[in-house]
Amino acid sequence: SKAQLFEKGTRVNITFNDVAGLDEAKVEVMEIVDFLKNPKKYTALGGKIPKGALLVGPPGTGKTLLAKAMAGEAQVPFFSMSGSDFVELFVGVGASRVRDLFKQAREKSPCIVFIDEIDAIGRARGKNAVMSNDERENTLNQLLVEMDGFSGDSGIIVLAATNRPDVLDTALLRPGRFDRQISIDIPDVKGREKIFDVHLKPIKRSKDLNIRKLAVQTPGFAGADIANICNEAALIAARKGKSEVDMSDFNDAIDRVIGGLEKKNKIIL
Ligand code: ATP
């Protein structure tokens, strides 16, 4: 989902328990959480703590959720912005927003700064899509200046999410910037089952509900789609006046979500 422009140092209570599957990614991000919790342990021997990591994967797979869970686990404030919010800004506004964000982050460190859809500002020169080149470059340059301006032990970790790592300006990927990549994939059937488990928790469901079956019926679905299905199913059952959500409601919800995805894809193509 879209990160709000300037989530300003929010305290989050999301933890790794809220993130289903993504076991390998979790191991990697736990390391980063430990950097935030015990920086001295790592700098004691002269090592430098990384400043940034790139979360790479398709839309709706839990990149934002994972970034928030890291803040929740480390018990640090969460700052966020989305690259796409910088589209169509007046000259200079993008850069000044980036400057502002990091100013606040420095004041509240240790903390996490999350940049969703970084490709919107971080595209390699010449591969520009949305923003006027100058303005996009100003915004990107400011981001690079900010990242170079703090040291690894300052307690700020910058996470950025993208589904297009291939278009990113290589300046972003240099050591001391986003030099780690963590890949977040579309869940397999086991992963989908775990995601259903999480999102079924608040749902009053009938005993006939077969989670394995739901997972098998939803190949290619991301976590966001599964969350959507669970919610739709509850609404469909409620509309019919039922007291619990059953398999037929889930089947209707799956059809509806598939229909929605097809429409969306048509628009994109
Ligand atoms: P985008 O690239 O579109 O920003 P994203 O990868 O950041 O997507 P999220 O915003 O984290 O995806 O996911 C949207 C919602 O989908 C989450 O708030 C959560 O409800 C659900 N979701 C996605 N992945 C998972 C997961 N692995 N476990 C549990 N819920 C998930």
Side-chain angles (χ1 to χ4, degrees):
S1 68
K2 226 167 137 190
Q4 261 186 332
L5 180 62
F6 282 119
E7 233 179 289
K8 288 182 176 170
T10 325
R11 289 271 164 192
V12 293
N13 46 23
I14 293 172
T15 68
F16 287 147
N17 278 336
D18 300 300
V19 187
L22 304 183
D23 296 338
E24 283 170 35
K26 271 188 203 164
V27 170
E28 289 186 64
V29 302
M30 272 176 199
E31 232 184 277
I32 298 176
V33 167
D34 207 41
F35 290 146
L36 282 167
K37 284 169 125 176
N38 307 302
K40 291 216 167 72
K41 174 170 137 192
Y42 294 96
T43 52
L45 304 180
K48 285 193 188 118
I49 291 175
K51 298 176 181 179
L54 205 58
L55 305 175
V56 177
T61 45
K63 300 185 290 298
T64 307
L65 188 67
L66 191 64
K68 278 198 173 162
M70 289 167 73
E73 293 282 343
Q75 295 187 304
V76 299
F78 183 78
F79 291 85
S80 75
M81 61 180 225
S82 175
S84 63
D85 292 324
F86 288 81
V87 178
E88 286 171 18
L89 286 182
F90 292 111
V91 176
V93 174
S96 89
R97 284 197 180 164
V98 170
R99 203 176 306 124
D100 254 34
L101 180 70
F102 278 89
K103 181 168 179 278
Q104 296 191 38
R106 279 193 299 273
E107 284 163 5
K108 285 214 188 171
S109 72
C111 66
I112 283 180
V113 175
F114 177 65
I115 306 171
D116 203 1
E117 301 180 63
I118 192 166
D119 41 287
I121 49 173
R123 269 174 191 258
R125 285 142 247 244
K127 289 188 195 168
N128 186 42
V130 276
M131 233 181 287
S132 96
N133 235 340
D134 285 354
E135 185 45 12
R136 189 195 56 81
E137 250 169 62
N138 283 341
T139 308
L140 174 58
N141 285 338
Q142 190 61 39
L143 175 62
L144 298 176
V145 165
E146 296 296 343
M147 285 194 77
D148 294 345
F150 66 85
S151 63
D153 59 3
S154 69
I156 302 174
I157 297 273
V158 189
L159 303 168
T162 184
N163 54 359
R164 294 297 310 275
D166 53 308
V167 303
L168 291 180
D169 196 311
T170 51
L172 278 169
L173 309 176
R174 277 191 208 131
R177 294 172 182 165
F178 298 99
D179 48 8
R180 294 188 167 207
Q181 290 203 16
I182 299 169
S183 78
I184 314 282
D185 291 320
I186 287 277
D188 60 8
V189 67
K190 264 233 167 92
R192 294 197 297 278
E193 215 175 316
K194 288 181 189 163
I195 298 171
F196 268 112
D197 269 333
V198 166
H199 290 281
L200 283 171
K201 256 183 216 140
I203 308 250
K204 272 188 141 183
R205 56 191 203 262
S206 76
K207 288 204 183 73
D208 82 326
L209 207 73
N210 185 331
I211 298 180
R212 174 79 193 174
K213 231 180 196 169
L214 293 175
V216 168
Q217 278 174 276
T218 46
F221 281 46
D225 306 319
I226 292 172
N228 195 5
I229 287 171
C230 293
N231 194 59
E232 278 291 329
L235 297 181
I236 289 170
R239 191 169 298 129
K240 291 180 180 158
K242 294 182 184 175
S243 59
E244 45 188 31
V245 192
D246 63 30
M247 209 61 189
S248 75
D249 304 314
F250 272 89
N251 288 331
D252 290 351
I254 289 171
D255 287 345
R256 185 173 288 183
V257 170
I258 289 175
L261 290 175
E262 278 170 358
K263 252 187 231 153
K264 211 164 65 183
N265 289 341
K266 250 180 223 149
I267 292 167
I268 290 166
L269 298 172

